[in-house]
Amino acid sequence: MIIVISPLSIISNEINHVNEMFENGMDLFHFRKYGLQDETVLEYLNKVNPIDRMKIVLHSHKHLSHELGINRLHFNTEDRISLQPDLVAVGQQLSTSTHSIDEFNALNQTWTYAFLSPTFKSISKPGYGKLKTVLKDIKFRNNQEMKLIGLGGINYQNMDQVLQNGADGIALMGSIWNQNKPAAYIKACKQKERIWNEIENEQS
């Protein structure tokens, strides 16, 4: 699984990049833009190809999920701790963020998958992951009820290290938005993931 997280502010030609990345194999797109007005968010997300609308995950503007026909919501650590189960509609798929393998292992079946970060020194958050990363801790995973998605400093060159250590997928942010052609970058990452999975299947 390859997930892309949006930049915090809208960048040039962003929605076209999003649609092109879906066409080239992006599995999920995490929409994370806390400062936008509702009208701007609706205009943005209504430009996503309808066939891919169910692959969008809302970090922000969760109150628009029904209007947009989106059933995937993401909660950071603080929001997860304060989450009231009765506020989540039946059928919604929930994901969350964790920052240690112990935190990941403690999650219950409410969550479909969780980010574990930082796997490497962050590209988009200067200083994050400079002192400690969680890549080698993935092997201590004992929670098999949900998928573990590596996040933080991941790019085409090092993504195989994350998969080798036992992650079910990767999330890209800084590395993808630094590209002139994000869709081509996603396509290359998906090809690398496909080769990795074929090797794993042959060895199992």
Side-chain angles (χ1 to χ4, degrees):
M1 178 183 290
I2 296 182
I3 294 170
V4 171
I5 302 173
S6 74
L8 283 173
S9 57
I10 296 177
I11 64 173
S12 176
N13 208 33
E14 183 176 331
I15 191 62
N16 290 331
H17 290 314
V18 171
N19 283 323
E20 289 172 357
M21 286 191 289
F22 274 130
E23 292 171 2
N24 281 274
M26 175 174 66
D27 293 292
L28 295 172
F29 177 66
H30 277 237
F31 182 84
R32 180 175 172 266
K33 297 182 185 291
Y34 294 97
L36 295 186
Q37 296 293 322
D38 287 358
E39 294 77 10
T40 304
V41 173
L42 291 169
E43 180 182 3
Y44 178 112
L45 292 177
N46 279 321
K47 290 180 180 177
V48 174
N49 292 331
I51 194 173
D52 295 316
R53 189 76 57 81
M54 298 302 292
K55 301 174 187 175
I56 295 172
V57 185
L58 295 178
H59 284 230
S60 60
H61 302 85
K62 296 181 180 71
H63 59 283
L64 299 177
S65 61
H66 180 71
E67 183 174 352
L68 288 162
I70 292 174
N71 72 340
R72 295 177 180 269
L73 307 177
H74 186 89
F75 295 81
N76 60 28
T77 301
E78 181 179 349
D79 289 341
R80 181 182 75 244
I81 292 172
S82 61
L83 177 67
Q84 299 296 319
D86 58 341
L87 297 180
V88 178
V90 174
Q92 286 181 326
Q93 298 185 52
L94 309 182
S95 58
T96 189
S97 300
T98 62
H99 306 283
S100 73
I101 195 62
D102 289 337
E103 186 181 1
F104 177 87
N105 285 336
L107 294 176
N108 60 34
Q109 295 181 17
T110 299
W111 312 98
T112 303
Y113 63 87
F115 292 146
L116 179 62
S117 68
T119 49
F120 301 99
K121 183 178 178 181
S122 176
I123 297 169
S124 59
K125 297 180 180 179
Y128 185 54
K130 182 178 181 180
L131 299 179
K132 178 175 173 54
T133 60
V134 297
L135 178 65
K136 294 182 179 179
D137 296 336
I138 297 175
K139 63 179 177 290
F140 298 113
R141 170 189 184 182
N142 58 32
N143 186 345
Q144 303 299 330
E145 299 300 321
M146 71 199 68
K147 293 181 178 179
L148 186 155
I149 308 297
L151 169 65
I154 301 174
N155 56 35
Y156 175 83
Q157 287 75 23
N158 63 26
M159 61 178 283
D160 51 334
Q161 296 180 49
V162 185
L163 300 174
Q164 287 170 1
N165 276 272
D168 300 299
I170 61 169
L172 305 175
M173 187 174 175
S175 62
I176 194 74
W177 298 112
N178 287 336
Q179 304 299 316
N180 291 326
K181 297 181 179 180
Y185 196 80
I186 279 290
K187 184 176 181 179
C189 289
K190 288 298 293 185
Q191 290 174 338
K192 192 171 189 179
E193 180 193 43
R194 191 175 301 111
I195 292 171
W196 164 256
N197 288 333
E198 289 174 354
I199 294 174
E200 281 292 286
N201 290 335
E202 290 175 357
Q203 294 178 346
S204 61

